[in-house]
Amino acid sequence: ETITLEAMLYIPSAGSIDGGEGYFHQAIHSEFGIHADFGSVELSGSVIQLAGDPVAEFGPGSFFGMENSSLEADDDIPMTVAVRGGIQWENSTIVAPENGLLIEDAFGEMVGGGVLGSNGDGLTMSGALDGLTLDFFTVEGSAGNALVFDNAPFTVVQNVEILNTGGLDVVARNGSLAVLQDCSFDDNMVSVEPGSGLVRAWTTHLMVVDEMDQPIAGVNVDIFDATG
């Protein structure tokens, strides 16, 4: 019988995490935060805990890769997280940030995981985001608003689940236009400011069958409302 164990290396006190660094299966306690103006910071199967300088900032010339990892701060320390460059996010979480996660003028993919227990808003999306894919993402337990579109001219998100929000579930302001496809939130907990717009859409799958319940291929389906 073969037993396979996966171990995580614990680094009790690390310096500033800058561009050009990668951490794989490590638990890191950083006193000087993450400051990447250029280059890449990549996390895989790792936990980053910020202490003395609880700031994680990724500039326009940076790339942030986060796979099966988490980013959090010591207890009662306000943590700021902002991404303004490239991002490749997969099944990862940011835990208890001071004012959620800011995604501004970013591009890439964010799939799986989410933002948990923010002390302010959960996820704020701003600027040009037409090169960003956000899918299967959870925003849970935000003390403020959960999902905020702020000066985001055109943004499409899919399969976002919003849970247990202290404020509003979705906010669109400052000229934002947001399309929420197959997302779960409370329609009564939405604010759209004048000059902004929000579209909620659902994907519908249809299958046409014959009298024996066998699928029929190549069928054109017309759908009408009650008035034709």
Side-chain angles (χ1 to χ4, degrees), residues 138-224:
T138 299
V139 183
E140 183 174 359
S142 302
N145 303 317
L147 179 56
V148 178
F149 300 93
D150 189 0
N151 190 27
F154 182 72
T155 308
V156 180
V157 301
Q158 297 176 289
N159 299 295
V160 174
E161 184 178 28
I162 296 173
L163 301 168
N164 304 322
T165 304
L168 297 172
D169 280 3
V170 183
V171 174
R173 65 193 183 203
N174 294 327
S176 297
L177 174 59
V179 179
L180 283 74
Q181 179 84 33
D182 301 322
C183 296
S184 175
F185 60 91
D186 187 342
D187 281 333
N188 297 315
M189 300 295 289
V190 172
S191 172
V192 181
E193 292 186 357
S196 296
L198 188 149
V199 177
R200 188 174 194 181
W202 298 96
T203 301
T204 301
H205 300 278
L206 299 176
M207 182 172 64
V208 179
V209 298
D210 60 19
E211 64 275 9
M212 302 299 293
D213 288 333
Q214 296 301 308
I216 303 174
V219 176
N220 293 323
V221 178
D222 294 322
I223 299 176
F224 301 93

Side-chain angles (χ1 to χ4, degrees), residues 64 66 70-71 79 81 89 92-97 100-101 114-117:
F64 179 35
M66 193 173 180
S70 68
L71 179 62
M79 176 175 67
V81 186
W89 171 305
S92 295
T93 56
I94 291 179
V95 182
L101 168 63
V115 179
L116 308 179

